[in-house]
Amino acid sequence: MHLPDLEVAKKREKKANNYIKLEEHYDKVFLGKKYFLRTYGCQMNVHDSEAIRSYLEALGLEESKDASFADVIVLNTCAIRENAKDKVTGFLGKCNYLKKKNPNLKLVLAGCMAEQPDVIDEIMKNHKYIDIVIGTHNLHELPKLLMKEFNKQVIEVYSESDEVIEGMHYTRDSQYTAWVNIMYGCDKFCTYCIVPYTRGRERSRKLEDIIAEVNNLKEEGYKEVTLLGQNVNAYGKDIGETFSHLLECVAKTNIARVRFVTSHPWNFTDEMIDVIAKYKNIMPYIHLPIQSGSNEILKRMNRRYTREEYWALFTKMKERIPNVAITTDIIVGFPNETEEDFEDTLDMVNKCAFDGAYTFIYSKREGTPAARMEDNTPMSVKEERLQRLNNLVNHYANVNNQKLLNKTVEVLILGVSEKDNTKVYGYTDTMKLVNVVGPKDIIGKIVKVQITDAKSFSLDGEYVK
Ligand code: 5AD
Ligand code: SF4
């Protein structure tokens, strides 16, 4: 096993840090100005927003939690389903009103919607007041574009190549748990999915850059990292690396907790399972989207596995990784899904008894192959199927949570509980949310908690000294 070259990584990071040096030019323009940032969508977008926040703050802007007081509004958008777009267009109405009140307000549309030319054409026709559109590939150009908007001299420092941009800075949401990109894009082209079009081809970060970032986070006191990719199994294909090797190297940094999302059931290797089982600091939790339990639908989705193959992988994971929790994603109402197809999905949910599942009604994405498929299943039938599916999913989530009742588990405490500020909250190694009766000074620590109540979506517990 070769070890990552940390010196090379450090040099590359230094080179890419240029934009921070520009602070002295920027702060006169942006001093005293405020920004408002709203994020839609997946973890990848949440993490991109941490980079956007860092760029804006490097310019000298301060965050406002209220859009009414902002000089710059950034919407980091999602394109995965139609309702994500509806939410954005809804909020744009409010932005239009704010711009009328404050003509100097700059409005930035970022994220996945900005990578869809047709969608952007339509939006720009109806919302002419948007100042900047910036896609997921160009986030690092945000300071330059804002400078242009504010009519100030632009200083070019950016590489315009397709290379993975290193040295990104993040104003992270948490002090204890951090997202770490390991790769960008997706080459799987599931027929319903817009991601390969909005996020582009698979590109891996260099192993040593990832390890350097994890080591830095550990030094800064982070307890947990989550390695992020649309399909982490594909890590390294383009640079002669493998995900299992990366995972092993990350585990060897001895950061307390390592997680990763998302895993595709296709090409999930035995080596990956072995590494997860071997290292105590790799959490026994795998998000393994099944999407459908019907072989016919899986084929039309271009998912590259059958229900039998999914089941074989699932059982192997359960056998080899002690106490592993497995969650999934399921789409109902894929074009022309029959009642029989849907019952195959229910059957897989019954067999796998998932710890949890994110469930969605299929949403047609223009430009994807599934958008051209005939679909005669009425929406009312799809809605009714979603309801039946959710009832079953919640049942198994509850059954799995009940198994923890009266047990003592390790929880990384992340903050004060939102619903009850006398409690704190955190996550078990298996990624279950626990609201904990305990002192505030355990925030940021991994502590023992006795589980006192178990529901479908969360657990209650008491801190054990
Ligand atoms: N319609 C509904 N759900 C979708 N997903 C992806 N594309 C679509 C779509 N067009 C779901 C998948 C994926 C999750 C992130 O979103 O289940 O795993
Ligand atoms: Fe979309 Fe499939 Fe890629 Fe996941 S693996 S991002 S569902 S195309």
Side-chain angles (χ1 to χ4, degrees):
M1 189 173 94
H2 81 268
L3 285 171
D5 183 344
L6 295 182
E7 280 314 306
V8 174
K10 271 184 199 147
K11 272 189 209 140
R12 197 176 301 117
E13 180 160 346
K14 216 168 145 199
K15 198 172 122 205
N17 273 353
N18 283 347
Y19 85 90
I20 288 291
K21 289 192 204 132
L22 295 179
E23 269 178 69
E24 58 201 79
H25 302 281
Y26 285 147
D27 61 11
K28 291 187 197 73
V29 185
F30 295 99
L31 205 67
K33 290 205 165 30
K34 289 196 161 44
Y35 75 89
F36 173 84
L37 171 62
R38 176 164 284 186
T39 309
Y40 302 86
C42 66
Q43 295 99 332
M44 200 68 81
N45 265 21
V46 170
H47 190 39
D48 281 352
S49 279
E50 293 180 332
I52 292 173
R53 181 171 284 129
S54 168
Y55 284 127
L56 295 171
E57 290 176 2
L59 291 179
L61 287 141
E62 273 172 49
E63 182 159 22
S64 163
K65 293 285 177 198
D66 184 343
S68 320
F69 300 119
D71 303 281
V72 176
I73 293 180
V74 183
L75 304 183
N76 191 12
T77 64
C78 168
I80 199 102
R81 284 169 291 273
E82 191 64 19
N83 60 358
K85 186 176 135 196
D86 295 343
K87 281 188 208 155
V88 171
T89 40
F91 191 68
L92 280 174
K94 177 171 177 165
C95 294
N96 187 18
Y97 165 78
L98 292 175
K99 273 209 88 148
K100 279 185 186 144
K101 274 193 4 193
N102 173 12
N104 294 325
L105 172 65
K106 301 294 174 199
L107 185 55
V108 184
L109 194 86
C112 287
M113 270 169 67
E115 294 284 348
Q116 296 177 283
D118 294 350
V119 173
I120 284 303
D121 282 354
E122 185 200 317
I123 288 197
M124 293 310 283
K125 234 183 263 159
N126 298 326
H127 306 273
K128 293 200 171 66
Y129 47 86
I130 295 173
D131 298 292
I132 296 175
V133 175
I134 182 167
T136 55
H137 293 68
N138 303 74
L139 274 189
H140 57 290
E141 294 186 72
L142 183 60
K144 185 172 77 180
L145 292 173
L146 272 174
M147 289 291 281
K148 266 190 189 146
E149 268 308 313
F150 281 96
N151 293 324
K152 299 291 165 187
Q153 191 197 347
V154 178
I155 304 148
E156 305 274 349
V157 283
Y158 306 97
S159 102
E160 304 285 342
S161 78
D162 282 345
E163 255 179 84
V164 169
I165 305 292
E166 279 304 331
M168 296 284 281
H169 282 248
Y170 300 97
T171 303
R172 296 182 187 269
D173 295 335
S174 165
Q175 287 167 263
Y176 314 113
T177 177
W179 306 108
V180 174
N181 278 126
I182 62 167
M183 58 183 300
Y184 304 93
C186 182
D187 288 354
K188 292 295 157 296
F189 287 94
C190 301
T191 55
Y192 51 82
C193 186
I194 198 75
V195 168
Y197 308 90
T198 60
R199 292 269 173 186
R201 300 287 60 72
E202 287 169 354
R203 282 103 65 213
S204 302
R205 284 181 72 196
K206 296 210 166 49
L207 187 95
E208 54 265 34
D209 292 327
I210 298 167
I211 300 299
E213 186 175 341
V214 174
N215 273 322
N216 283 341
L217 288 164
K218 191 182 151 207
E219 269 170 38
E220 284 170 31
Y222 280 85
K223 295 289 186 319
E224 180 179 275
V225 290
T226 302
L227 309 179
L228 265 188
Q230 302 294 346
N231 165 22
V232 292
N233 311 4
Y235 172 77
K237 254 181 26 199
D238 50 335
I239 55 168
E241 267 299 341
T242 63
F243 182 60
S244 51
H245 180 226
L246 170 71
L247 200 52
E248 185 152 30
C249 291
V250 174
K252 283 184 172 169
T253 64
N254 280 329
I255 190 147
R257 285 180 160 199
V258 180
R259 300 185 183 280
F260 53 92
V261 277
T262 293
S263 305
H264 195 299
W266 182 75
N267 211 15
F268 198 111
T269 61
D270 283 3
E271 288 78 22
M272 276 152 55
I273 298 182
D274 291 343
V275 171
I276 298 165
K278 182 171 164 192
Y279 290 91
K280 281 244 160 344
N281 60 343
I282 302 180
M283 296 296 99
Y285 166 72
I286 300 171
H287 184 60
L288 193 72
I290 185 170
Q291 310 298 2
S292 169
S294 150
N295 281 341
E296 170 59 26
I297 298 285
L298 286 172
K299 203 159 125 202
R300 283 202 276 127
M301 285 178 163
N302 188 30
R303 286 293 288 178
R304 303 156 190 247
Y305 54 86
T306 60
R307 54 187 272 126
E308 291 78 17
E309 284 163 342
Y310 185 95
W311 176 242
L313 174 64
F314 184 94
T315 45
K316 207 192 295 177
M317 287 171 171
K318 286 276 177 183
E319 277 162 22
R320 293 208 203 159
I321 308 167
N323 293 321
V324 69
I326 301 179
T327 57
T328 201
D329 290 345
I330 302 169
I331 297 175
V332 299
F334 187 77
N336 275 355
E337 180 192 65
T338 63
E339 175 62 22
E340 214 180 7
D341 292 322
F342 176 64
E343 280 170 16
D344 281 348
T345 297
L346 295 182
D347 185 54
M348 282 305 278
V349 172
N350 278 317
K351 275 174 91 167
C352 298
F354 293 109
D355 286 85
Y358 298 97
T359 58
F360 312 100
I361 291 185
Y362 166 74
S363 173
K364 183 175 172 176
R365 307 285 67 208
E366 284 310 335
T368 62
R372 297 190 297 274
M373 292 179 192
E374 190 185 18
D375 186 6
N376 293 315
T377 315
M379 188 47 99
S380 57
V381 171
K382 297 186 182 193
E383 281 165 355
E384 184 245 354
R385 283 180 191 162
L386 181 70
Q387 195 54 52
R388 282 159 68 198
L389 176 65
N390 284 344
N391 290 343
L392 200 61
V393 160
N394 295 347
H395 166 73
Y396 285 112
N398 195 292
V399 167
N400 283 303
N401 282 353
Q402 294 298 333
K403 288 183 198 155
L404 291 178
L405 204 56
N406 301 321
K407 296 245 162 70
T408 300
V409 293
E410 287 196 339
V411 178
L412 169 56
I413 306 291
L414 293 179
V416 175
S417 179
E418 259 178 36
K419 282 197 185 127
D420 178 352
N421 65 13
T422 65
K423 291 185 180 174
V424 291
Y425 80 95
Y427 289 88
T428 64
D429 57 352
T430 50
M431 200 63 196
K432 292 180 192 296
L433 171 64
V434 196
N435 288 302
V436 181
V437 177
K440 303 272 187 295
D441 64 8
I442 60 172
I443 293 174
K445 294 185 182 149
I446 297 170
V447 296
K448 292 211 174 351
V449 170
Q450 184 172 23
I451 302 302
T452 52
D453 195 11
K455 294 163 267 190
S456 288
F457 303 109
S458 66
L459 303 163
D460 289 333
E462 275 169 25
Y463 168 55
V464 184
K465 275 187 200 104

